[in-house]
mmCIF file of all heavy atoms in Angstrom:
data_model
loop_
_atom_site.group_PDB
_atom_site.id
_atom_site.type_symbol
_atom_site.label_atom_id
_atom_site.label_comp_id
_atom_site.label_asym_id
_atom_site.label_seq_id
_atom_site.Cartn_x
_atom_site.Cartn_y
_atom_site.Cartn_z
ATOM 1 N N ALA A 13 0.850 -1.190 0.000
ATOM 2 C CA ALA A 13 0.000 0.000 0.000
ATOM 3 C C ALA A 13 0.887 1.243 0.000
ATOM 4 O O ALA A 13 2.044 1.189 0.414
ATOM 5 C CB ALA A 13 -0.903 -0.017 1.219
ATOM 6 N N PRO A 14 0.343 2.361 -0.441
ATOM 7 C CA PRO A 14 1.136 3.595 -0.490
ATOM 8 C C PRO A 14 1.744 3.935 0.863
ATOM 9 O O PRO A 14 1.043 3.976 1.875
ATOM 10 C CB PRO A 14 0.110 4.647 -0.927
ATOM 11 C CG PRO A 14 -0.916 3.878 -1.669
ATOM 12 C CD PRO A 14 -1.012 2.546 -0.985
ATOM 13 N N GLY A 15 3.044 4.157 0.863
ATOM 14 C CA GLY A 15 3.722 4.557 2.084
ATOM 15 C C GLY A 15 3.955 3.453 3.091
ATOM 16 O O GLY A 15 4.407 3.718 4.213
ATOM 17 N N LYS A 16 3.640 2.219 2.714
ATOM 18 C CA LYS A 16 3.784 1.103 3.648
ATOM 19 C C LYS A 16 4.703 0.031 3.076
ATOM 20 O O LYS A 16 4.983 -0.002 1.888
ATOM 21 C CB LYS A 16 2.413 0.512 3.981
ATOM 22 C CG LYS A 16 1.494 1.472 4.704
ATOM 23 C CD LYS A 16 0.211 0.795 5.126
ATOM 24 C CE LYS A 16 -0.686 1.748 5.893
ATOM 25 N NZ LYS A 16 -1.944 1.078 6.343
ATOM 26 N N GLU A 17 5.129 -0.859 3.949
ATOM 27 C CA GLU A 17 5.974 -1.954 3.508
ATOM 28 C C GLU A 17 5.123 -3.040 2.845
ATOM 29 O O GLU A 17 3.929 -3.186 3.107
ATOM 30 C CB GLU A 17 6.730 -2.545 4.700
ATOM 31 C CG GLU A 17 7.749 -1.592 5.309
ATOM 32 C CD GLU A 17 8.591 -2.251 6.384
ATOM 33 O OE1 GLU A 17 8.303 -3.403 6.737
ATOM 34 O OE2 GLU A 17 9.527 -1.601 6.860
ATOM 35 N N ARG A 18 5.792 -3.804 2.003
ATOM 36 C CA ARG A 18 5.110 -4.919 1.343
ATOM 37 C C ARG A 18 4.810 -6.003 2.377
ATOM 38 O O ARG A 18 5.628 -6.288 3.256
ATOM 39 C CB ARG A 18 5.998 -5.456 0.225
ATOM 40 C CG ARG A 18 5.312 -6.424 -0.696
ATOM 41 C CD ARG A 18 6.075 -6.587 -2.003
ATOM 42 N NE ARG A 18 7.456 -6.960 -1.795
ATOM 43 C CZ ARG A 18 8.362 -7.009 -2.778
ATOM 44 N NH1 ARG A 18 8.018 -6.687 -4.002
ATOM 45 N NH2 ARG A 18 9.599 -7.374 -2.517
ATOM 46 N N GLU A 19 3.628 -6.614 2.233
ATOM 47 C CA GLU A 19 3.222 -7.633 3.197
ATOM 48 C C GLU A 19 2.533 -8.789 2.493
ATOM 49 O O GLU A 19 1.988 -8.643 1.384
ATOM 50 C CB GLU A 19 2.281 -7.028 4.244
ATOM 51 C CG GLU A 19 1.011 -6.443 3.673
ATOM 52 C CD GLU A 19 0.167 -5.732 4.725
ATOM 53 O OE1 GLU A 19 0.655 -4.745 5.287
ATOM 54 O OE2 GLU A 19 -0.958 -6.190 4.957
ATOM 55 N N GLY A 20 2.549 -9.944 3.137
ATOM 56 C CA GLY A 20 1.967 -11.142 2.551
ATOM 57 C C GLY A 20 0.456 -11.131 2.565
ATOM 58 O O GLY A 20 -0.155 -10.654 3.525
ATOM 59 N N VAL A 21 -0.132 -11.646 1.508
ATOM 60 C CA VAL A 21 -1.588 -11.754 1.386
ATOM 61 C C VAL A 21 -2.011 -13.219 1.448
ATOM 62 O O VAL A 21 -2.917 -13.593 2.194
ATOM 63 C CB VAL A 21 -2.068 -11.134 0.066
ATOM 64 C CG1 VAL A 21 -3.568 -11.340 -0.122
ATOM 65 C CG2 VAL A 21 -1.713 -9.657 0.001
ATOM 66 N N SER A 22 -1.343 -14.043 0.648
ATOM 67 C CA SER A 22 -1.737 -15.438 0.549
ATOM 68 C C SER A 22 -0.619 -16.245 -0.082
ATOM 69 O O SER A 22 0.284 -15.689 -0.710
ATOM 70 C CB SER A 22 -3.010 -15.564 -0.297
ATOM 71 O OG SER A 22 -3.469 -16.903 -0.348
ATOM 72 N N CYS A 23 -0.692 -17.556 0.088
ATOM 73 C CA CYS A 23 0.301 -18.446 -0.507
ATOM 74 C C CYS A 23 -0.367 -19.773 -0.822
ATOM 75 O O CYS A 23 -1.280 -20.197 -0.097
ATOM 76 C CB CYS A 23 1.474 -18.647 0.442
ATOM 77 S SG CYS A 23 2.828 -19.621 -0.243
ATOM 78 N N ILE A 24 0.076 -20.416 -1.888
ATOM 79 C CA ILE A 24 -0.450 -21.729 -2.254
ATOM 80 C C ILE A 24 0.713 -22.663 -2.546
ATOM 81 O O ILE A 24 1.695 -22.263 -3.183
ATOM 82 C CB ILE A 24 -1.413 -21.608 -3.460
ATOM 83 C CG1 ILE A 24 -2.116 -22.941 -3.729
ATOM 84 C CG2 ILE A 24 -0.702 -21.098 -4.707
ATOM 85 C CD1 ILE A 24 -3.309 -22.818 -4.682
ATOM 86 N N SER A 25 0.604 -23.892 -2.080
ATOM 87 C CA SER A 25 1.663 -24.875 -2.267
ATOM 88 C C SER A 25 1.762 -25.302 -3.723
ATOM 89 O O SER A 25 0.878 -25.020 -4.532
ATOM 90 C CB SER A 25 1.407 -26.094 -1.381
ATOM 91 O OG SER A 25 0.193 -26.718 -1.758
ATOM 92 N N ARG A 26 2.794 -26.042 -4.040
ATOM 93 C CA ARG A 26 3.048 -26.402 -5.431
ATOM 94 C C ARG A 26 1.930 -27.256 -6.013
ATOM 95 O O ARG A 26 1.646 -27.158 -7.215
ATOM 96 C CB ARG A 26 4.382 -27.141 -5.548
ATOM 97 C CG ARG A 26 4.417 -28.457 -4.805
ATOM 98 C CD ARG A 26 5.784 -29.092 -4.895
ATOM 99 N NE ARG A 26 5.815 -30.414 -4.251
ATOM 100 C CZ ARG A 26 6.897 -31.158 -4.157
ATOM 101 N NH1 ARG A 26 8.053 -30.725 -4.658
ATOM 102 N NH2 ARG A 26 6.836 -32.334 -3.567
ATOM 103 N N SER A 27 1.320 -28.069 -5.193
ATOM 104 C CA SER A 27 0.237 -28.920 -5.694
ATOM 105 C C SER A 27 -1.133 -28.298 -5.473
ATOM 106 O O SER A 27 -2.135 -28.804 -5.973
ATOM 107 C CB SER A 27 0.287 -30.281 -5.011
ATOM 108 O OG SER A 27 0.071 -30.125 -3.625
ATOM 109 N N GLY A 28 -1.180 -27.215 -4.734
ATOM 110 C CA GLY A 28 -2.452 -26.554 -4.450
ATOM 111 C C GLY A 28 -3.192 -27.113 -3.259
ATOM 112 O O GLY A 28 -4.300 -26.654 -2.959
ATOM 113 N N ASP A 29 -2.589 -28.056 -2.554
ATOM 114 C CA ASP A 29 -3.310 -28.676 -1.445
ATOM 115 C C ASP A 29 -3.205 -27.893 -0.156
ATOM 116 O O ASP A 29 -3.920 -28.181 0.810
ATOM 117 C CB ASP A 29 -2.796 -30.113 -1.217
ATOM 118 C CG ASP A 29 -1.327 -30.166 -0.820
ATOM 119 O OD1 ASP A 29 -0.572 -29.243 -1.214
ATOM 120 O OD2 ASP A 29 -0.932 -31.127 -0.137
ATOM 121 N N LYS A 30 -2.315 -26.905 -0.124
ATOM 122 C CA LYS A 30 -2.172 -26.089 1.074
ATOM 123 C C LYS A 30 -2.249 -24.619 0.687
ATOM 124 O O LYS A 30 -1.612 -24.193 -0.281
ATOM 125 C CB LYS A 30 -0.841 -26.373 1.768
ATOM 126 C CG LYS A 30 -0.711 -27.778 2.336
ATOM 127 C CD LYS A 30 0.600 -27.979 3.050
ATOM 128 C CE LYS A 30 1.759 -28.127 2.100
ATOM 129 N NZ LYS A 30 1.715 -29.393 1.366
ATOM 130 N N THR A 31 -3.027 -23.876 1.461
ATOM 131 C CA THR A 31 -3.145 -22.437 1.246
ATOM 132 C C THR A 31 -3.071 -21.724 2.593
ATOM 133 O O THR A 31 -3.440 -22.284 3.633
ATOM 134 C CB THR A 31 -4.463 -22.058 0.554
ATOM 135 O OG1 THR A 31 -5.566 -22.513 1.349
ATOM 136 C CG2 THR A 31 -4.559 -22.683 -0.835
ATOM 137 N N ASN A 32 -2.611 -20.490 2.561
ATOM 138 C CA ASN A 32 -2.565 -19.652 3.749
ATOM 139 C C ASN A 32 -3.019 -18.249 3.366
ATOM 140 O O ASN A 32 -2.813 -17.825 2.216
ATOM 141 C CB ASN A 32 -1.150 -19.581 4.322
ATOM 142 C CG ASN A 32 -0.694 -20.891 4.925
ATOM 143 O OD1 ASN A 32 -0.137 -21.731 4.226
ATOM 144 N ND2 ASN A 32 -0.927 -21.076 6.209
ATOM 145 N N TYR A 33 -3.578 -17.560 4.334
ATOM 146 C CA TYR A 33 -4.067 -16.205 4.096
ATOM 147 C C TYR A 33 -3.720 -15.299 5.271
ATOM 148 O O TYR A 33 -3.693 -15.746 6.420
ATOM 149 C CB TYR A 33 -5.591 -16.203 3.919
ATOM 150 C CG TYR A 33 -6.082 -16.992 2.745
ATOM 151 C CD1 TYR A 33 -6.429 -18.331 2.868
ATOM 152 C CD2 TYR A 33 -6.209 -16.393 1.489
ATOM 153 C CE1 TYR A 33 -6.874 -19.058 1.778
ATOM 154 C CE2 TYR A 33 -6.663 -17.115 0.398
ATOM 155 C CZ TYR A 33 -6.989 -18.445 0.553
ATOM 156 O OH TYR A 33 -7.434 -19.168 -0.532
ATOM 157 N N ALA A 34 -3.501 -14.046 4.951
ATOM 158 C CA ALA A 34 -3.406 -13.045 5.998
ATOM 159 C C ALA A 34 -4.783 -12.890 6.647
ATOM 160 O O ALA A 34 -5.814 -13.048 5.980
ATOM 161 C CB ALA A 34 -2.948 -11.711 5.415
ATOM 162 N N ASP A 35 -4.788 -12.569 7.921
ATOM 163 C CA ASP A 35 -6.061 -12.431 8.628
ATOM 164 C C ASP A 35 -6.970 -11.386 7.971
ATOM 165 O O ASP A 35 -8.193 -11.528 7.976
ATOM 166 C CB ASP A 35 -5.805 -12.035 10.084
ATOM 167 C CG ASP A 35 -5.233 -13.180 10.906
ATOM 168 O OD1 ASP A 35 -5.328 -14.344 10.460
ATOM 169 O OD2 ASP A 35 -4.686 -12.905 11.989
ATOM 170 N N SER A 36 -6.362 -10.367 7.412
ATOM 171 C CA SER A 36 -7.134 -9.254 6.840
ATOM 172 C C SER A 36 -7.930 -9.659 5.604
ATOM 173 O O SER A 36 -8.850 -8.944 5.205
ATOM 174 C CB SER A 36 -6.196 -8.104 6.490
ATOM 175 O OG SER A 36 -5.230 -8.528 5.547
ATOM 176 N N VAL A 37 -7.585 -10.788 4.990
ATOM 177 C CA VAL A 37 -8.279 -11.175 3.752
ATOM 178 C C VAL A 37 -9.012 -12.508 3.873
ATOM 179 O O VAL A 37 -9.693 -12.923 2.935
ATOM 180 C CB VAL A 37 -7.300 -11.239 2.552
ATOM 181 C CG1 VAL A 37 -6.555 -9.919 2.416
ATOM 182 C CG2 VAL A 37 -6.328 -12.403 2.671
ATOM 183 N N LYS A 38 -8.887 -13.170 5.002
ATOM 184 C CA LYS A 38 -9.559 -14.468 5.172
ATOM 185 C C LYS A 38 -11.062 -14.326 4.981
ATOM 186 O O LYS A 38 -11.689 -13.410 5.500
ATOM 187 C CB LYS A 38 -9.265 -15.031 6.558
ATOM 188 C CG LYS A 38 -7.887 -15.653 6.689
ATOM 189 C CD LYS A 38 -7.667 -16.205 8.089
ATOM 190 C CE LYS A 38 -6.284 -16.816 8.222
ATOM 191 N NZ LYS A 38 -6.012 -17.301 9.597
ATOM 192 N N GLY A 39 -11.616 -15.243 4.212
ATOM 193 C CA GLY A 39 -13.042 -15.209 3.932
ATOM 194 C C GLY A 39 -13.425 -14.315 2.773
ATOM 195 O O GLY A 39 -14.570 -14.360 2.308
ATOM 196 N N ARG A 40 -12.485 -13.498 2.287
ATOM 197 C CA ARG A 40 -12.778 -12.608 1.153
ATOM 198 C C ARG A 40 -11.952 -12.969 -0.080
ATOM 199 O O ARG A 40 -12.427 -12.815 -1.205
ATOM 200 C CB ARG A 40 -12.492 -11.147 1.539
ATOM 201 C CG ARG A 40 -13.323 -10.633 2.689
ATOM 202 C CD ARG A 40 -13.149 -9.121 2.866
ATOM 203 N NE ARG A 40 -11.773 -8.760 3.171
ATOM 204 C CZ ARG A 40 -11.047 -7.900 2.460
ATOM 205 N NH1 ARG A 40 -11.574 -7.310 1.403
ATOM 206 N NH2 ARG A 40 -9.803 -7.601 2.812
ATOM 207 N N PHE A 41 -10.731 -13.407 0.131
ATOM 208 C CA PHE A 41 -9.832 -13.727 -0.983
ATOM 209 C C PHE A 41 -9.653 -15.233 -1.079
ATOM 210 O O PHE A 41 -9.637 -15.939 -0.066
ATOM 211 C CB PHE A 41 -8.459 -13.105 -0.771
ATOM 212 C CG PHE A 41 -8.417 -11.595 -0.891
ATOM 213 C CD1 PHE A 41 -9.562 -10.825 -0.951
ATOM 214 C CD2 PHE A 41 -7.192 -10.937 -0.939
ATOM 215 C CE1 PHE A 41 -9.511 -9.445 -1.054
ATOM 216 C CE2 PHE A 41 -7.112 -9.564 -1.046
ATOM 217 C CZ PHE A 41 -8.280 -8.819 -1.093
ATOM 218 N N THR A 42 -9.482 -15.721 -2.301
ATOM 219 C CA THR A 42 -9.221 -17.139 -2.538
ATOM 220 C C THR A 42 -8.091 -17.283 -3.531
ATOM 221 O O THR A 42 -8.151 -16.708 -4.630
ATOM 222 C CB THR A 42 -10.473 -17.845 -3.079
ATOM 223 O OG1 THR A 42 -11.559 -17.679 -2.165
ATOM 224 C CG2 THR A 42 -10.208 -19.336 -3.250
ATOM 225 N N ILE A 43 -7.089 -18.053 -3.152
ATOM 226 C CA ILE A 43 -5.970 -18.323 -4.043
ATOM 227 C C ILE A 43 -6.170 -19.694 -4.683
ATOM 228 O O ILE A 43 -6.660 -20.623 -4.044
ATOM 229 C CB ILE A 43 -4.622 -18.246 -3.282
ATOM 230 C CG1 ILE A 43 -3.444 -18.231 -4.247
ATOM 231 C CG2 ILE A 43 -4.511 -19.347 -2.248
ATOM 232 C CD1 ILE A 43 -2.113 -17.914 -3.568
ATOM 233 N N SER A 44 -5.793 -19.800 -5.946
ATOM 234 C CA SER A 44 -5.906 -21.073 -6.646
ATOM 235 C C SER A 44 -4.832 -21.122 -7.725
ATOM 236 O O SER A 44 -4.185 -20.116 -8.018
ATOM 237 C CB SER A 44 -7.298 -21.247 -7.260
ATOM 238 O OG SER A 44 -7.545 -20.240 -8.228
ATOM 239 N N ARG A 45 -4.661 -22.290 -8.301
ATOM 240 C CA ARG A 45 -3.639 -22.408 -9.339
ATOM 241 C C ARG A 45 -4.060 -23.439 -10.375
ATOM 242 O O ARG A 45 -4.787 -24.376 -10.068
ATOM 243 C CB ARG A 45 -2.290 -22.777 -8.747
ATOM 244 C CG ARG A 45 -2.198 -24.146 -8.095
ATOM 245 C CD ARG A 45 -0.915 -24.284 -7.299
ATOM 246 N NE ARG A 45 0.252 -24.263 -8.181
ATOM 247 C CZ ARG A 45 1.481 -23.918 -7.772
ATOM 248 N NH1 ARG A 45 1.688 -23.564 -6.516
ATOM 249 N NH2 ARG A 45 2.490 -23.951 -8.606
ATOM 250 N N ASP A 46 -3.574 -23.243 -11.575
ATOM 251 C CA ASP A 46 -3.765 -24.184 -12.673
ATOM 252 C C ASP A 46 -2.373 -24.430 -13.250
ATOM 253 O O ASP A 46 -1.880 -23.646 -14.077
ATOM 254 C CB ASP A 46 -4.706 -23.598 -13.720
ATOM 255 C CG ASP A 46 -5.047 -24.587 -14.829
ATOM 256 O OD1 ASP A 46 -4.261 -25.525 -15.060
ATOM 257 O OD2 ASP A 46 -6.096 -24.414 -15.461
ATOM 258 N N ASN A 47 -1.745 -25.498 -12.813
ATOM 259 C CA ASN A 47 -0.370 -25.761 -13.253
ATOM 260 C C ASN A 47 -0.295 -26.042 -14.753
ATOM 261 O O ASN A 47 0.723 -25.758 -15.385
ATOM 262 C CB ASN A 47 0.219 -26.922 -12.459
ATOM 263 C CG ASN A 47 0.555 -26.535 -11.027
ATOM 264 O OD1 ASN A 47 0.559 -25.357 -10.670
ATOM 265 N ND2 ASN A 47 0.807 -27.521 -10.188
ATOM 266 N N ALA A 48 -1.355 -26.582 -15.306
ATOM 267 C CA ALA A 48 -1.351 -26.844 -16.748
ATOM 268 C C ALA A 48 -1.302 -25.545 -17.543
ATOM 269 O O ALA A 48 -0.775 -25.516 -18.660
ATOM 270 C CB ALA A 48 -2.587 -27.647 -17.135
ATOM 271 N N LYS A 49 -1.839 -24.482 -16.971
ATOM 272 C CA LYS A 49 -1.821 -23.170 -17.616
ATOM 273 C C LYS A 49 -0.713 -22.288 -17.067
ATOM 274 O O LYS A 49 -0.613 -21.118 -17.452
ATOM 275 C CB LYS A 49 -3.178 -22.475 -17.446
ATOM 276 C CG LYS A 49 -4.328 -23.174 -18.143
ATOM 277 C CD LYS A 49 -5.623 -22.385 -17.989
ATOM 278 C CE LYS A 49 -6.759 -23.063 -18.735
ATOM 279 N NZ LYS A 49 -8.041 -22.317 -18.601
ATOM 280 N N ASN A 50 0.081 -22.827 -16.159
ATOM 281 C CA ASN A 50 1.183 -22.059 -15.554
ATOM 282 C C ASN A 50 0.689 -20.737 -14.963
ATOM 283 O O ASN A 50 1.352 -19.689 -15.096
ATOM 284 C CB ASN A 50 2.280 -21.783 -16.585
ATOM 285 C CG ASN A 50 2.995 -23.044 -17.006
ATOM 286 O OD1 ASN A 50 3.254 -23.935 -16.202
ATOM 287 N ND2 ASN A 50 3.314 -23.148 -18.286
ATOM 288 N N THR A 51 -0.432 -20.785 -14.302
ATOM 289 C CA THR A 51 -1.049 -19.565 -13.792
ATOM 290 C C THR A 51 -1.594 -19.781 -12.387
ATOM 291 O O THR A 51 -2.156 -20.840 -12.082
ATOM 292 C CB THR A 51 -2.180 -19.091 -14.721
ATOM 293 O OG1 THR A 51 -1.653 -18.895 -16.041
ATOM 294 C CG2 THR A 51 -2.768 -17.773 -14.238
ATOM 295 N N VAL A 52 -1.405 -18.775 -11.566
ATOM 296 C CA VAL A 52 -1.976 -18.733 -10.220
ATOM 297 C C VAL A 52 -2.926 -17.553 -10.156
ATOM 298 O O VAL A 52 -2.660 -16.501 -10.743
ATOM 299 C CB VAL A 52 -0.865 -18.605 -9.162
ATOM 300 C CG1 VAL A 52 -1.455 -18.438 -7.776
ATOM 301 C CG2 VAL A 52 0.049 -19.819 -9.204
ATOM 302 N N TYR A 53 -4.020 -17.728 -9.445
ATOM 303 C CA TYR A 53 -5.065 -16.702 -9.384
ATOM 304 C C TYR A 53 -5.274 -16.241 -7.949
ATOM 305 O O TYR A 53 -5.049 -16.979 -6.996
ATOM 306 C CB TYR A 53 -6.385 -17.259 -9.915
ATOM 307 C CG TYR A 53 -6.283 -17.835 -11.310
ATOM 308 C CD1 TYR A 53 -6.125 -19.200 -11.507
ATOM 309 C CD2 TYR A 53 -6.333 -17.013 -12.433
ATOM 310 C CE1 TYR A 53 -6.016 -19.738 -12.776
ATOM 311 C CE2 TYR A 53 -6.241 -17.542 -13.710
ATOM 312 C CZ TYR A 53 -6.073 -18.904 -13.874
ATOM 313 O OH TYR A 53 -5.964 -19.430 -15.127
ATOM 314 N N LEU A 54 -5.750 -15.019 -7.834
ATOM 315 C CA LEU A 54 -6.201 -14.499 -6.547
ATOM 316 C C LEU A 54 -7.563 -13.857 -6.782
ATOM 317 O O LEU A 54 -7.648 -12.778 -7.382
ATOM 318 C CB LEU A 54 -5.214 -13.478 -5.968
ATOM 319 C CG LEU A 54 -5.556 -12.982 -4.565
ATOM 320 C CD1 LEU A 54 -5.381 -14.118 -3.552
ATOM 321 C CD2 LEU A 54 -4.676 -11.793 -4.167
ATOM 322 N N GLN A 55 -8.599 -14.550 -6.335
ATOM 323 C CA GLN A 55 -9.959 -14.013 -6.427
ATOM 324 C C GLN A 55 -10.209 -13.138 -5.207
ATOM 325 O O GLN A 55 -10.078 -13.609 -4.074
ATOM 326 C CB GLN A 55 -10.979 -15.154 -6.472
ATOM 327 C CG GLN A 55 -12.408 -14.691 -6.507
ATOM 328 C CD GLN A 55 -12.768 -13.969 -7.807
ATOM 329 O OE1 GLN A 55 -12.380 -14.401 -8.878
ATOM 330 N NE2 GLN A 55 -13.491 -12.864 -7.694
ATOM 331 N N MET A 56 -10.542 -11.890 -5.454
ATOM 332 C CA MET A 56 -10.718 -10.931 -4.370
ATOM 333 C C MET A 56 -12.164 -10.445 -4.388
ATOM 334 O O MET A 56 -12.608 -9.818 -5.360
ATOM 335 C CB MET A 56 -9.757 -9.755 -4.543
ATOM 336 C CG MET A 56 -8.304 -10.181 -4.685
ATOM 337 S SD MET A 56 -7.146 -8.798 -4.644
ATOM 338 C CE MET A 56 -7.661 -7.910 -6.096
ATOM 339 N N ASN A 57 -12.885 -10.750 -3.337
ATOM 340 C CA ASN A 57 -14.280 -10.340 -3.201
ATOM 341 C C ASN A 57 -14.436 -9.386 -2.029
ATOM 342 O O ASN A 57 -13.554 -9.277 -1.180
ATOM 343 C CB ASN A 57 -15.164 -11.572 -2.983
ATOM 344 C CG ASN A 57 -15.120 -12.540 -4.145
ATOM 345 O OD1 ASN A 57 -14.947 -12.152 -5.294
ATOM 346 N ND2 ASN A 57 -15.283 -13.819 -3.848
ATOM 347 N N SER A 58 -15.563 -8.714 -1.996
ATOM 348 C CA SER A 58 -15.878 -7.784 -0.897
ATOM 349 C C SER A 58 -14.725 -6.821 -0.651
ATOM 350 O O SER A 58 -14.301 -6.623 0.493
ATOM 351 C CB SER A 58 -16.201 -8.571 0.381
ATOM 352 O OG SER A 58 -17.269 -9.463 0.170
#
């Protein structure tokens, strides 16, 4: 954020079986990945 240090939002394991979220985004953001498409997503709601 402007004027602030960079901070973690979320992380997903290589296989997608493990995910973690910062408390500030739990229940609103969802991380996912499609290894076949070489792409990771962050769905941000609310």
